[in-house]
Amino acid sequence: MNSKFNQVQDEILYAYENTRFFRKHMERAGLVPRDIEVPSDITRIPPTVKKDYRQSFPAGVIASGYNLKSPHVMRFQSSGTEGDRLVSVVLSYDLARRQASCISVNPKFSSLWQPGLKLRTCRFAAPNCSDVECANPNSTMASRMLGDGTLVLPVYHDLLTTPDRMIKMALDEIEEYDPHLLFVDPTHFAFLTRAMRMAGRPPHKKKGFCIMSGYTLCTQVARRQIKQCYGEEVAFADMLGMSELGYLGFECPHGHQHLNTEDYYLEFVHNGRPANPGELAELVITTLDDQLSPHIRYATGDMYRLSAEPCTCGNPTPVVRAEGRVKNALWLPDDSVVTPKELDELIGPAEWIDMYQMNQTNDDEFSFRYLRNDSWTQQLENELIEQFRDTLKTNNITCSVTQYLPADRCGKFISCVSSVAIREEKRKQL
């Protein structure tokens, strides 16, 4: 029996003995830890979901012997894209270990782990992604400084309405703080690079620091703008993560996404069964050696495709393609699905688009709105509309240029959204 499965058994036993929620969860399923004898038995445990942890927090999901004031306990809130914000806890050293495991796939980021380095990080993302007030134009750098040396840059709740004063503050503070790492929401940061270009401001430097994107899908449109601004000298990579758990994966130098199997046991589930390589699946996670708040078969709501081929970079960890959240997928009348990632692959870097949003407004109706720039031509727009029609299998697609696209109520900008309620049977197809 492999050691990884032994770790899973240990995690199940620990969660059963030390967290009230999970003991009840197992009892409702008529299970005890010794029932999980072989790897296939894991699927007998019903998946746990955000609602379970939200309703049971803190006493039901924090392990016995710990509380919110225990040493090294860090508290996080989700942005609220699923509705109510989810509060989670993690031990600081677990978070650091998961981060190191993930980032190790990309040697371009090795400078962040220099011995003795007191890491300076600037964060630029939706206000709800931070635990400090960063949407107030009168806030100060000192009031937005986190204990780990992260400076949260000022940004407004509705990205495209961010006042010029706050944009200038953010750019000035990047120069003043001179971070080793810029940790950004890609759409937010692309907006900032456009503001830099309009103001005639070059990057404060192009060497000696890294840029890491997270929080939302890194569209090719956003990536193009960031790379055009900072060039190839600045290391840029996309991080896969969740506020509940921290780092899940990272992008290697070859541009492929790798998931962390040192700190997590991963399942890719399609229609209730293990997915085949290349098949659209929901990621289900079990933490390993989490003494504070273990998560067992945690259904993330995130769609992935697992590659059957090892990565050309040589790293042995699983290669995946993050497809986006289930609730943001476009569901077609024939019950097929177009994921946010597939839509983005269709649009590509699109030199003529600065920002876009596709909205499914009805079962067979779609609205594409975008911010355009001087590279736009009617032919380019017409060609993209034809691609949409072929992929979405309908002619009911409106396309319009705009100067404003609203952020989600949580402050994030979601590039692919569906106003059509996802029927329960469609959820079960993943």
Side-chain angles (χ1 to χ4, degrees), residues 375-389:
S375 297
W376 173 88
T377 67
Q378 187 62 59
Q379 181 179 351
L380 289 170
E381 181 181 300
N382 291 343
E383 289 172 354
L384 182 59
I385 294 172
E386 283 305 309
Q387 289 180 289
F388 287 158
R389 288 171 176 162

Side-chain angles (χ1 to χ4, degrees), residues 49 64 136-137 146 175 184 195 215 218 222 258-259 285 288 313 325 328 344 391 393 403 415:
V49 295
S64 57
N136 184 339
L146 305 183
E175 291 189 18
V184 302
Y215 303 104
C218 183
H258 293 251
L259 284 181
I285 291 178
L288 300 177
C313 76
R325 296 197 62 76
N328 296 134
D344 188 64
T391 300
K393 305 170 186 176
Q403 294 184 332
S415 60

Side-chain angles (χ1 to χ4, degrees), residues 317-356:
T317 52
V319 179
V320 297
R321 192 170 92 155
E323 298 285 348
R325 296 197 62 76
V326 172
K327 76 183 192 73
N328 296 134
L330 306 176
W331 297 86
L332 309 189
D334 63 0
D335 283 345
S336 62
V337 62
V338 176
T339 69
K341 182 66 174 180
E342 289 170 330
L343 178 74
D344 188 64
E345 290 287 331
L346 186 67
I347 295 168
E351 295 279 348
W352 51 285
I353 293 176
D354 283 340
M355 189 173 170
Y356 73 82

Side-chain angles (χ1 to χ4, degrees), residues 170-317:
L171 296 175
D172 288 345
E173 290 180 12
I174 292 174
E175 291 189 18
E176 181 178 345
Y177 198 54
D178 189 23
H180 304 101
L181 172 66
L182 276 169
F183 188 25
V184 302
D185 179 295
T187 300
H188 276 63
F189 198 58
F191 163 80
L192 201 59
T193 66
R194 294 196 299 275
M196 290 169 62
R197 186 177 67 247
M198 292 177 62
R201 292 182 63 155
H204 81 291
K205 64 181 183 181
K206 290 192 175 184
K207 278 187 177 181
F209 76 108
C210 307
I211 301 174
M212 187 186 302
S213 74
Y215 303 104
T216 61
L217 175 71
C218 183
T219 66
Q220 291 191 53
V221 165
R223 183 185 289 260
R224 184 204 81 229
Q225 293 171 82
I226 295 168
K227 298 287 280 187
Q228 284 176 343
C229 181
Y230 283 88
E232 296 298 326
E233 293 175 293
V234 175
F236 177 87
D238 194 32
M239 182 273 282
L240 302 173
M242 303 179 69
S243 60
E244 305 94 301
L245 302 171
Y247 284 62
L248 302 181
F250 206 67
E251 179 183 339
C252 75
H254 291 207
H256 298 144
Q257 295 171 320
H258 293 251
L259 284 181
N260 176 4
T261 52
E262 288 296 314
D263 302 295
Y264 306 107
Y265 179 80
L266 308 174
E267 299 174 69
F268 298 89
V269 179
H270 176 92
N271 199 21
R273 61 166 173 79
N276 297 314
E279 197 169 28
L280 189 64
E282 182 177 10
L283 177 64
V284 176
I285 291 178
T286 296
T287 55
L288 300 177
D289 196 26
D290 189 328
Q291 301 295 301
L292 178 62
S293 183
H295 285 59
I296 309 296
R297 301 208 73 222
Y298 185 57
T300 63
D302 293 326
M303 298 177 291
Y304 283 82
R305 294 186 195 274
L306 175 65
S307 174
E309 302 298 325
C311 186
T312 52
C313 76
N315 191 286
T317 52

